[in-house]
Amino acid sequence: MNRLLLHTAEELHGLPRAGRRAVVMTMGALHEGHATLIRTAREKAGPGGQVVVTVFVNPLQFGPNEDLDRYPRTLDADLRIAEGAGAEAVFAPAVDEVYPGGDPQVRISAGPMGERLEGATRPGHFDGMLTVVAKLLHLTRPDLALFGQKDAQQLALIRRMVTDLNFPVEVVGVPTVREEDGLALSSRNRYLSPAERHTALALSRALFAGQDRLAAQAALRARAEASPASDERATALARLGEIRASADAHAVSAAGGGLPDAVRAAALHVLEEAGRHEPPLVLDYLALVDPQDFTEAGPGFTGQAVLAVAAKVGATRLIDNIPLEFGAHS
């Protein structure tokens, strides 16, 4: 038996601990993204601390037509990755260990935020996710819990639950890990054929196009605002030989939706092109949202935002997002 591996709550509660305990919750099929979470947990727990990784494919967060049975289960490989990244224990319980009475009658409700974006596409998903996260927090009793920012809405809901229900744990978000071609690491990437993977790259390209649009417009505004009056900005840019930027300034002004709409438009253009690929990308949603409640960012939005996308390529559904910062003049 692997010395890292624990299957029951009794074994977990008998695990000696000293210093801070950090937990990384997974559904298995570990990859470099999970390894990054575990290494970050190891660093934050400190030399005297402890890292516990949970591996549990939670049936509550899969819908009737989703891939619960198809979801990869690779526990032996998961143990090697977890140990190599610095975990002291892997808690991999059976379903009846987590839900000893069958499906729980009392569950956590994700509320209005849980009904948006992913929640609208996957009804009940976030209720099931929060229920198992709450149970695993009680079982593992950590000081820190680390989650990937790739699942931005999940992370936001966990933060909300921990705050609203007074869980004594610090939630830490860890930036998305990407492959060299930009595709966000996911256990579902293994389902993609080479042609499907090529199409799937449009998700990250779309997000970076939106990010570039934001950066370009911020630079454009900074230069244009050197003009003494707002109606002279496009003319000033033209005099500098920036004809394309000048035209862009006129177009953004005429659009009336502000920079958030321009960011969405830049990302959507990439996704629409991918919809004509073979195989095509089938868009579920593209949204620019306030990370506090996942409502859409309006024309005058300022502060942190999340540009999020979900789409299907073949039979595989993928999600991705990037954080953006909108200044006072966005």
Side-chain angles (χ1 to χ4, degrees):
M1 178 177 174
N2 190 296
R3 65 181 178 81
L4 291 179
L5 185 59
L6 310 173
H7 287 295
T8 69
E10 183 179 1
E11 291 173 329
L12 181 63
H13 292 159
L15 183 67
R17 63 184 293 176
R20 299 208 299 172
R21 175 180 286 178
V23 66
V24 175
M25 298 183 190
T26 82
M27 292 206 300
L30 302 191
H31 49 64
E32 180 56 28
H34 297 109
T36 298
L37 283 168
I38 297 166
R39 286 193 292 268
T40 305
R42 171 75 276 146
E43 179 184 342
K44 290 189 173 294
Q50 183 182 75
V51 176
V52 175
V53 175
T54 69
V55 174
F56 181 66
V57 181
N58 177 33
L60 296 191
Q61 62 196 75
F62 287 80
N65 299 315
E66 295 185 331
D67 57 356
L68 173 60
D69 293 334
R70 185 176 170 229
Y71 199 87
R73 291 158 172 85
T74 58
L75 184 57
D76 288 342
D78 294 344
L79 290 169
R80 290 193 294 271
I81 291 173
E83 183 174 24
E88 276 81 22
V90 173
F91 179 52
V95 172
D96 59 3
E97 181 71 23
V98 178
Y99 303 119
D103 282 357
Q105 296 184 40
V106 177
R107 306 188 186 196
I108 302 289
S109 170
M113 193 191 337
E115 297 171 357
R116 298 173 186 134
L117 299 189
E118 285 296 291
T121 300
R122 307 173 68 189
H125 166 73
F126 285 124
D127 292 355
M129 179 276 294
L130 289 178
T131 298
V132 80
V133 168
K135 288 181 72 79
L136 289 172
L137 286 174
H138 287 311
L139 287 167
T140 58
R141 304 170 184 172
D143 301 289
L144 306 165
L146 291 85
F147 299 90
Q149 291 177 1
K150 174 178 167 290
D151 297 294
Q153 192 171 4
Q154 170 180 284
L155 175 58
L157 282 162
I158 292 170
R159 290 190 193 279
R160 189 77 264 166
M161 178 184 73
V162 163
T163 298
D164 288 351
L165 301 184
N166 298 102
F167 279 76
V169 62
E170 178 187 349
V171 176
V172 179
V174 178
T176 301
V177 179
R178 299 184 180 277
E179 300 194 37
E180 287 186 7
D181 57 11
L183 188 67
L185 283 173
S186 168
S187 300
R188 290 187 169 96
N189 290 352
R190 68 187 67 196
Y191 300 145
L192 298 170
S193 70
E196 288 170 344
R197 183 186 174 88
H198 179 73
T199 296
L201 294 176
L203 272 74
S204 56
R205 286 204 312 269
L207 297 177
F208 294 136
Q211 183 181 59
D212 289 347
R213 185 68 184 82
L214 176 61
Q217 186 62 21
L220 178 68
R221 287 181 184 275
R223 286 194 294 257
E225 284 172 356
S227 299
S230 60
D231 59 357
E232 296 175 6
R233 288 176 185 169
T235 302
L237 284 166
R239 279 201 299 267
L240 291 170
E242 301 187 26
I243 304 300
R244 183 174 179 180
S246 174
D248 193 43
H250 282 302
V252 171
S253 177
L259 188 48
D261 277 357
V263 169
R264 291 185 189 95
L268 186 59
H269 176 71
V270 175
L271 297 168
E272 288 176 340
E273 283 191 343
R276 295 187 286 272
H277 290 176
E278 184 54 47
L281 180 143
V282 180
L283 183 63
D284 185 347
Y285 63 76
L286 171 71
L288 181 67
V289 297
D290 184 334
Q292 297 302 311
D293 56 10
F294 270 67
T295 56
E296 286 283 349
F301 183 85
T302 60
Q304 292 185 342
V306 172
L307 183 60
V309 62
K312 263 194 168 184
V313 182
T316 304
R317 186 174 184 275
L318 300 170
I319 63 172
D320 200 352
N321 72 85
I322 55 170
L324 297 176
E325 182 77 29
F326 285 78
H329 299 292
S330 297

